[in-house]
Amino acid sequence: AQSVTQLGSHVSVSEGALVLLRCNYSSSVPPYLFWYVQYPNQGLQLLLKYTTGATLVKGINGFEAEFKKSETSFHLTKPSAHMSDAAEYFCAVRYSTSGTYKYIFGTGTRLKVLA
Amino acid sequence: DTAVSQTPKYLVTQMGNDKSIKCEQNLGHDTMYWYKQDSKKFLKIMFSYNNKELIINETVPNRFSPKSPDKAHLNLHINSLELGDSAVYFCASSQRTVGPTGYGYTFGSGTRLTVV
């Protein structure tokens, strides 16, 4: 069965500090992995994705994530937090089932950036 | 240009009413989805259509019925609304047939449904 676990429903960092949002997945097949960001009262936006190839993936707004198969992880990082990074972040895994694709989302991590 | 647009953005209605939410995408994607996000921000897929054909139908009450007149539109009709239906509903689209490259979704901005 496929699943996604995001550790920490709330994360607070100081402005300029490292951002680390954790995501672990469970998948019986090679997964495609995604990070989405949701700003207040808005829909989700794709930050970055891993499909195949390079395990370190760079996304928008200075975020990056590394796919570690041995740890079944896809943690999201940013070297220096900005106030505008405050939002909800969702990790998701995509897999195939019955000839179609299905996504499972984690429960989200709310990032708070302190001045 | 709005890629995935949903209307209305807010919807407040009484229990027992019937309401519809509309979704349109201008990305040329062949697959559209409806997701429900509850008060705890948990996202759960409800339906998925590919080229007007229903391909995912999760366990949701029969009161929810999706309709896809063409591949650019996926509407959600809800009958006999209940308090528990209050949530934010997101429409999304993707290109399913792109092969192994695995594109992500493009989401609409959501419809906040409040049932009173």
Side-chain angles (χ1 to χ4, degrees), chain A residues 4-9 11 18-25 35 71-77 89-91 106-109:
Chain A
V4 176
T5 303
Q6 289 183 242
L7 298 176
S9 58
V11 170
L18 171 72
V19 176
L20 171 60
L21 304 182
R22 299 176 187 275
C23 173
N24 288 86
Y25 68 91
W35 274 100
E71 299 177 9
T72 60
S73 68
F74 191 57
H75 301 329
L76 182 71
T77 60
Y89 292 80
F90 292 89
C91 182
T107 50
T109 298

Side-chain angles (χ1 to χ4, degrees), chain A residues 32 36 38 51 99 102-103, chain B residues 37 58 90 96 100-101 103 105:
Chain A
Y32 295 153
Y36 288 86
Q38 184 179 26
T51 55
K102 207 164 177 178
Y103 287 76
Chain B
Q37 187 176 46
E58 293 294 309
F90 286 99
R96 183 175 86 98
T101 53
Y103 284 7
Y105 288 164

Side-chain angles (χ1 to χ4, degrees), chain A residues 32 34 36 38 41-46 49 51-52 88 90 94 99-107 110, chain B residues 9 33 35 37 40-43 45 55-56 58 90 96 99-105 107-109 112:
Chain A
Y32 295 153
F34 304 82
Y36 288 86
Q38 184 179 26
N41 299 315
Q42 293 186 27
L44 280 73
Q45 300 174 34
L46 180 65
K49 63 180 185 286
T51 55
T52 58
E88 191 96 20
F90 292 89
R94 191 190 92 158
T100 186
Y101 298 129
K102 207 164 177 178
Y103 287 76
I104 290 182
F105 286 83
T107 50
R110 178 158 296 181
Chain B
K9 194 173 176 65
Y33 312 79
Y35 273 82
Q37 187 176 46
K40 295 184 178 178
K41 297 290 188 180
F42 183 63
L43 270 168
I45 192 168
I55 55 173
I56 294 176
E58 293 294 309
F90 286 99
R96 183 175 86 98
T101 53
Y103 284 7
Y105 288 164
F107 279 85
S109 56
R112 184 174 294 275

Side-chain angles (χ1 to χ4, degrees), chain B residues 42-54:
Chain B
F42 183 63
L43 270 168
K44 185 171 183 207
I45 192 168
M46 300 174 69
F47 303 103
S48 174
Y49 269 75
N50 175 259
N51 283 325
K52 303 195 299 173
E53 180 183 354
L54 180 65

Side-chain angles (χ1 to χ4, degrees), chain B residues 32-96:
Chain B
M32 295 184 72
Y33 312 79
W34 276 109
Y35 273 82
K36 179 180 180 181
Q37 187 176 46
D38 62 23
S39 58
K40 295 184 178 178
K41 297 290 188 180
F42 183 63
L43 270 168
K44 185 171 183 207
I45 192 168
M46 300 174 69
F47 303 103
S48 174
Y49 269 75
N50 175 259
N51 283 325
K52 303 195 299 173
E53 180 183 354
L54 180 65
I55 55 173
I56 294 176
N57 184 5
E58 293 294 309
T59 306
V60 299
N62 291 335
R63 300 180 293 103
F64 289 80
S65 55
K67 286 197 169 44
S68 181
D70 55 60
K71 75 174 190 177
H73 295 83
L74 181 61
N75 304 323
L76 183 64
H77 189 74
I78 315 170
N79 289 328
S80 303
L81 278 155
E82 300 178 358
L83 293 177
D85 297 333
S86 296
V88 181
Y89 292 84
F90 286 99
C91 178
S93 71
S94 72
Q95 186 61 21
R96 183 175 86 98

